[in-house]
Amino acid sequence: MVITEQCDVYNFGVVVLEILMGRHPRDQLLNLSSSLWSQDLMLHEILDQRLPLPNHQVAKDIYLVATLAIACLSTEPNSRPTMKRVSKDFLSCKKPKAKLLHSVSLRHLRNQVHDWKE
């Protein structure tokens, strides 16, 4: 395997998902191209259940982070954002207009991923 920026971005997505879930996302990663990600699995269902539900401001941050993580985990390496793009989106003052975490599915987050190329 050749180490590329796309591998680094993928690994970043794994770490972010692990932080959100409170455990390594092994099963979810194995099923990235399967129906698991196309089901209506809700974002709040994958979050670490040991933590209290976040307030509205933190929920917006979780929405952004989860969207970027899912973009980084794209099965097509050329569709993944660059780390420069991820950093730019993190530092941006523009926060997404997130819905309540209970109403956001992983499919919705995956659909939020637009053209990540510079």
Side-chain angles (χ1 to χ4, degrees):
M1 174 161 84
V2 177
I3 304 300
T4 65
E5 185 173 310
Q6 284 79 16
C7 291
D8 290 343
V9 166
Y10 183 87
N11 291 332
F12 176 78
V14 171
V15 170
V16 169
L17 203 54
E18 186 171 358
I19 292 168
L20 291 174
M21 296 177 75
R23 61 184 165 76
H24 193 281
R26 281 180 186 81
D27 294 337
Q28 286 78 11
L29 293 176
L30 293 174
N31 295 314
L32 269 179
S33 60
S34 76
S35 62
L36 174 70
W37 290 84
S38 63
Q39 292 174 3
D40 285 328
L41 185 62
M42 304 307 281
L43 176 57
H44 78 277
E45 293 175 312
I46 69 161
L47 296 179
D48 190 340
Q49 300 299 309
R50 298 170 295 179
L51 300 175
L53 290 175
N55 64 34
H56 185 68
Q57 184 57 43
V58 173
K60 284 183 175 182
D61 293 335
I62 289 172
Y63 182 88
L64 172 64
V65 169
T67 302
L68 290 171
I70 289 173
C72 291
L73 296 172
S74 173
T75 54
E76 180 58 44
N78 292 331
S79 297
R80 297 175 193 152
T82 63
M83 281 307 297
K84 181 178 180 180
R85 175 63 189 259
V86 170
S87 174
K88 186 180 191 181
D89 286 350
F90 274 132
L91 295 174
S92 158
C93 293
K94 186 178 178 186
K95 298 282 183 178
K97 293 181 181 178
K99 302 175 184 178
L100 294 174
L101 292 181
H102 283 65
S103 66
V104 177
S105 69
L106 295 184
R107 182 185 347 196
H108 171 79
L109 291 179
R110 194 166 214 182
N111 291 339
Q112 294 302 302
V113 179
H114 297 293
D115 184 17
W116 291 99
K117 296 179 182 177
E118 302 276 346

